[in-house]
Amino acid sequence: MSDSAVLDLARDLLSRPSVTPHDQGCQSLLIQRLEAVGFECEIMVFEDVTNLWARRGRASPLLVFAGHTDVVPTGPLEQWLSNPFVPTERNGILYGRGAADMKSSIAAFVVAVEEFLAGNADHDGSIALLITSDEEGPSINGTVKVCETLSRRGARFDYCIVGEPTSADTLGDVVKNGRRGSLSGRLVVKGKQGHVAYPHLARNPIHMLAPALAELTEKTWDTGNAYFPPTTFQVSNLNSGTGATNVVPGTATLDFNFRFSTASKPETLKQYTEAILDKHNLDYDLVWTLGGEPFLTPPGELSAALTQAILDETGIQTQMSTTGGTSDGRFIARMCPQVIEFGPINASIHQVNEHIRIDTLDPLKNIYRRTLQHLLSVR
């Protein structure tokens, strides 16, 4: 055992190979700790995904910590300096899959709650944890299903901290008070296959697509706002051809994605896109996938409490940001007016030799505890 309760719990969690959607006993470990300090714990299973909802108290306001015990696959094992599921310390750094994303956050919050309750047993409000094993996967049987279930029961969150690794260079330098939405499309442009020597007998879908694609890439979709950069359109894949050099292909398939702000709506982006395709007289099929709506938490009680906690613990004036990909915060924001993401430095997430500096674990825990004290201590 070390002299850090956070490090001990983080090591225990990291030793469990909980690759999406498997939990491998992580949530059972958390239940043991949480029930010991008065939490009522409920396991919610949807398909192959295990989720934990743990709550202490019934009064308002309710502060929720949200996170995930699942991790991404390890990648090439031979490139790891140590077994990714044997937490290893070298030169003040803890290595293991999930060290930064986000088992250390979960460990820090559990210990923060324990310490807070030791001195504030009669605190205001309530505390809860929402933990899933489906954040790194398709995200269809995890947090979204738990939120839907709780909403049907009439539950309402007041504050939520998602423990995603948001810090850039130093612990506490960046927190996320929102995220852009994600809208993807798969476009199949239909032409007519033929011999390249007889182009008048064929219709090349690549040639037909090119002018429309140029217009899509050059269009200004919106100008963003005070919290978000402008919406972006990016092509992720363009595929066509039969493999032969003398054949005009019959179809061309384009995969693209919008990362959009609150200045745009999915339906509007769809309408504009289809209007451009129709303008160029394309024969096409288009399938849309909405990965998530954008969400935004304007300055309020939660951001003020977390900002002050970071300043008190680290001396850093944090920066609010909405950059990056999607997170489970998009589901929680449907039932919670104030959702903020904050966690460790994110430089090694999803990489081989994922790691976290050990000397950031207790400060991370202290920031979570200080936030609890700001929001829920008896006044």
Side-chain angles (χ1 to χ4, degrees):
M1 297 290 287
S2 71
D3 59 358
S4 170
V6 181
L7 176 58
D8 290 336
L9 182 52
R11 287 175 60 90
D12 205 344
L13 292 169
L14 289 170
S15 68
R16 300 163 191 259
S18 54
V19 177
T20 303
H22 305 292
D23 174 69
Q24 298 293 346
C26 290
Q27 293 174 26
S28 295
L29 175 63
L30 300 180
I31 289 172
Q32 294 175 17
R33 300 284 289 259
L34 294 169
E35 287 185 339
V37 291
F39 279 78
E40 297 178 7
C41 297
E42 178 184 0
I43 289 292
M44 297 185 183
V45 178
F46 303 103
E47 301 293 338
D48 57 349
V49 175
T50 302
N51 305 282
L52 170 62
W53 171 246
R55 178 167 178 165
R56 185 183 191 275
R58 287 289 175 264
S60 296
L62 171 60
L63 171 60
V64 179
F65 175 80
H68 58 91
T69 50
D70 61 316
V71 298
V72 296
T74 61
L77 289 174
E78 66 274 11
Q79 295 182 20
W80 283 78
L81 298 176
S82 54
N83 188 319
F85 295 114
V86 177
T88 305
E89 299 173 38
R90 293 190 300 274
N91 301 317
I93 296 174
L94 177 64
Y95 290 85
R97 174 57 85 217
D101 189 13
M102 55 173 286
K103 291 183 175 180
S104 293
S105 295
I106 293 174
F109 198 82
V110 169
V111 178
V113 168
E114 292 171 338
E115 292 184 358
F116 173 73
L117 293 175
N120 299 272
D122 297 322
H123 62 85
D124 287 346
S126 306
I127 307 170
L129 278 80
L130 195 171
I131 307 296
T132 185
S133 61
D134 185 39
E135 197 274 346
E136 299 290 9
S139 298
I140 58 175
N141 289 308
T143 299
V144 62
K145 289 285 183 67
V146 176
C147 288
E148 290 170 354
T149 300
L150 295 174
S151 292
R152 287 195 296 269
R153 297 177 184 175
R156 182 183 183 278
F157 303 172
D158 296 286
Y159 314 115
C160 181
I161 300 173
V162 185
E164 289 291 342
T166 60
S167 301
D169 300 313
T170 305
L171 179 67
D173 58 357
V174 177
V175 303
K176 307 285 188 179
N177 66 322
R179 294 277 190 166
R180 293 175 297 175
S182 176
L183 176 65
S184 297
R186 168 160 284 194
L187 172 69
V188 178
V189 177
K190 304 173 186 178
K192 182 179 180 182
Q193 184 173 317
H195 197 294
V196 296
Y198 301 92
H200 60 288
L201 299 178
R203 295 196 313 276
N204 193 316
I206 302 174
H207 295 185
M208 296 158 58
L209 171 61
L213 181 57
E215 186 169 346
L216 289 167
T217 58
E218 293 170 2
K219 180 175 175 57
T220 299
W221 303 92
D222 59 48
T223 57
N225 53 39
Y227 299 99
F228 289 95
T231 292
T232 60
F233 170 91
Q234 287 292 315
V235 173
S236 56
N237 190 47
L238 175 58
N239 184 53
S240 189
T242 64
T245 60
N246 61 348
V247 177
V248 173
T251 61
T253 301
L254 179 77
D255 293 311
F256 62 90
N257 177 265
F258 287 101
R259 289 302 164 108
F260 63 99
S261 72
T262 52
S264 286
K265 294 186 180 300
E267 291 307 318
T268 303
L269 295 174
K270 293 178 183 180
Q271 291 169 7
Y272 286 159
T273 300
E274 292 169 9
I276 290 173
L277 299 176
D278 293 340
K279 170 185 171 183
H280 290 274
N281 297 314
L282 297 181
D283 182 10
Y284 66 89
D285 292 325
L286 177 54
V287 177
W288 292 100
T289 301
L290 180 61
E293 296 270 9
F295 74 90
L296 175 68
T297 297
E301 292 178 333
L302 178 57
S303 60
L306 181 57
T307 297
Q308 188 62 52
I310 292 171
L311 181 63
D312 292 343
E313 183 65 28
T314 68
I316 292 173
Q317 185 66 56
T318 193
Q319 173 188 349
M320 295 286 175
S321 172
T322 59
T323 59
T326 59
S327 78
D328 277 0
R330 68 191 189 274
F331 305 127
I332 300 167
R334 299 173 185 173
M335 62 183 299
C336 181
Q338 298 186 53
V339 179
I340 289 185
E341 301 173 19
F342 169 65
I345 296 171
N346 58 25
S348 68
I349 61 174
H350 293 206
Q351 296 181 16
V352 168
N353 297 312
E354 181 180 350
H355 60 271
I356 187 172
R357 283 176 44 190
I358 294 172
D359 63 5
T360 64
L361 291 174
D362 280 310
L364 177 62
K365 173 261 298 181
N366 292 340
I367 291 169
Y368 291 146
R369 190 196 69 242
R370 289 176 184 272
T371 303
L372 282 165
Q373 291 169 338
H374 282 301
L375 293 172
L376 299 185
S377 291
V378 176
R379 294 172 176 83

